């Protein structure tokens, strides 16, 4: 069975600096998708970025980028120029390419932005 | 554009009482629908998903049930709540037939069973 591990329960960063959130996963599959979701204090879950495992190029979305290391089964999220609005819980998630339904979620990392 | 509505936002219920949480999606047809539960400080646990009217799949044996009486309506129910049913419940939808598509989440329901 697949598992997703986020080893950092909490991270803090100074506003305008860069922070990296870690995520590792375990799978025997070769085709899958990875996601980072953000859950601000409002508690609504919002997709930040996604990566297809068959793509070698790392996904980027404005200030958010990932470092996808398929062999190491690592999928870290880098947030550049951190802003106060980035403060939230961040969840890493895995979905098998063979499944439309089951997302495997990490436990989350709480990101604190220091003004 | 598509929107998802989930209500109520908060609910306090006594042990043994029934439960009904409702979720509706607008602006799309035949979406995949999901119910998740999030325990305090934890990740999300998939409870139910549905790919069509009347089609419900359960991921975790529990005290809860789900129904999809209409294409864009998803209901989470219980006949008798347990203390362990407390948590934050999130409804979500996604486009059908797209494994890499993102989930769109509702605003959630905080359920406290006392």
């Amino acid at each position: 069975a697949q598992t997703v591990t986020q080893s950092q329960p909490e991270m803090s960063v100074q506003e305008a600096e860069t922070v990296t959130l870690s995520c590792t996963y375990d799978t025997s599959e070769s085709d899958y998708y990875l996601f980072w979701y953000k859950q601000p204090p409002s508690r609504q879950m919002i997709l930040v970025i996604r990566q297809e495992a068959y793509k070698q190029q790392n996904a980027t979305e404005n200030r958010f980028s990932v470092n996808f290391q398929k062999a190491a089964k690592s999928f870290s999220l880098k947030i550049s120029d951190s802003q106060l609005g980035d403060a939230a819980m961040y969840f890493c998630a895995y979905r098998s390419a063979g499944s439309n339904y089951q997302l495997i979620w990490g436990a989350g990392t709480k990101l604190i932005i220091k003004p | 554009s598509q929107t998802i509505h989930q209500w109520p936002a908060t609910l306090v219920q006594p042990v043994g009482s029934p439960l009904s949480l409702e979720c509706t999606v607008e602006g799309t047809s035949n979406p995949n629908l999901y119910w998740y539960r999030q325990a305090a400080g934890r990740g999300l646990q998939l409870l139910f998903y549905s790919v069509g009217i009347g089609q419900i799949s359960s991921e975790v044996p529990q005290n809860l049930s789900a129904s999809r009486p209409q294409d864009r309506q998803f209901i989470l129910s219980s006949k008798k709540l347990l203390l362990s049913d407390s948590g934050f419940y999130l409804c979500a939808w996604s486009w059908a037939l797209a494994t890499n598509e993102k989930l769109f989440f509702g605003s959630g329901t905080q359920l406290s069973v006392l």
Side-chain angles (χ1 to χ4, degrees):
Chain A
Q2 297 87 10
T3 59
V4 176
T5 302
Q6 293 178 250
S7 58
Q8 307 153 317
E10 187 175 297
M11 291 281 285
S12 63
V13 63
Q14 205 71 34
E15 191 177 4
E17 293 186 347
T18 295
V19 64
T20 298
L21 307 184
S22 301
C23 173
T24 58
Y25 57 94
D26 188 25
T27 184
S28 59
E29 300 173 333
S30 60
D31 197 11
Y32 50 86
Y33 305 96
L34 296 163
F35 305 82
W36 277 100
Y37 278 85
K38 168 185 177 181
Q39 188 177 38
S42 67
R43 304 192 76 178
Q44 186 158 17
M45 201 73 77
I46 304 163
L47 178 70
V48 175
I49 199 166
R50 62 186 163 191
Q51 174 82 41
E52 290 88 347
Y54 63 83
K55 290 186 178 179
Q56 292 186 337
Q57 186 173 8
N58 289 325
T60 61
E61 288 286 342
N62 300 314
R63 297 183 295 106
F64 298 87
S65 62
V66 299
N67 183 7
F68 174 48
Q69 302 289 328
K70 191 172 184 179
K73 298 179 183 176
S74 171
F75 183 60
S76 60
L77 174 69
K78 185 172 83 171
I79 306 174
S80 304
D81 186 24
S82 298
Q83 301 175 359
L84 294 177
D86 295 332
M89 284 289 292
Y90 286 81
F91 292 93
C92 179
Y94 168 104
R95 173 182 283 177
S96 167
S99 170
N100 270 359
Y101 321 119
Q102 180 65 281
L103 270 172
I104 310 298
W105 295 80
T109 297
K110 182 179 181 180
L111 179 63
I112 298 169
I113 310 294
K114 299 177 181 177
Chain B
S1 64
Q2 300 81 30
T3 56
I4 179 169
H5 303 280
Q6 184 182 342
W7 68 93
T10 59
L11 191 60
V12 180
Q13 292 284 96
V15 169
S17 64
L19 172 74
S20 180
L21 302 181
E22 190 162 342
C23 173
T24 59
V25 180
E26 296 177 358
T28 186
S29 59
N30 195 32
N32 289 341
L33 295 171
Y34 311 81
W35 277 111
Y36 282 92
R37 178 168 57 198
Q38 184 179 27
R42 304 288 297 277
L44 275 66
Q45 178 187 39
L46 179 64
L47 301 176
F48 301 95
Y49 65 87
S50 172
V51 300
I53 296 174
Q55 301 178 61
I56 308 295
S57 295
S58 174
E59 291 294 308
V60 181
Q62 60 213 324
N63 185 43
L64 302 169
S65 62
S67 61
R68 185 171 177 173
Q70 300 180 40
D71 181 47
R72 290 167 289 177
Q73 184 184 27
F74 205 24
I75 298 172
L76 183 69
S77 303
S78 174
K79 292 182 180 178
K80 289 185 178 182
L81 283 169
L82 305 172
L83 288 174
S84 58
D85 292 324
S86 293
F88 188 62
Y89 290 82
L90 284 161
C91 180
W93 74 274
S94 69
W95 299 105
L97 304 178
T99 56
N100 66 335
E101 275 296 338
K102 66 180 180 180
L103 293 173
F104 299 86
F105 285 86
S107 53
T109 297
Q110 180 63 54
L111 172 65
S112 299
V113 182
L114 305 177

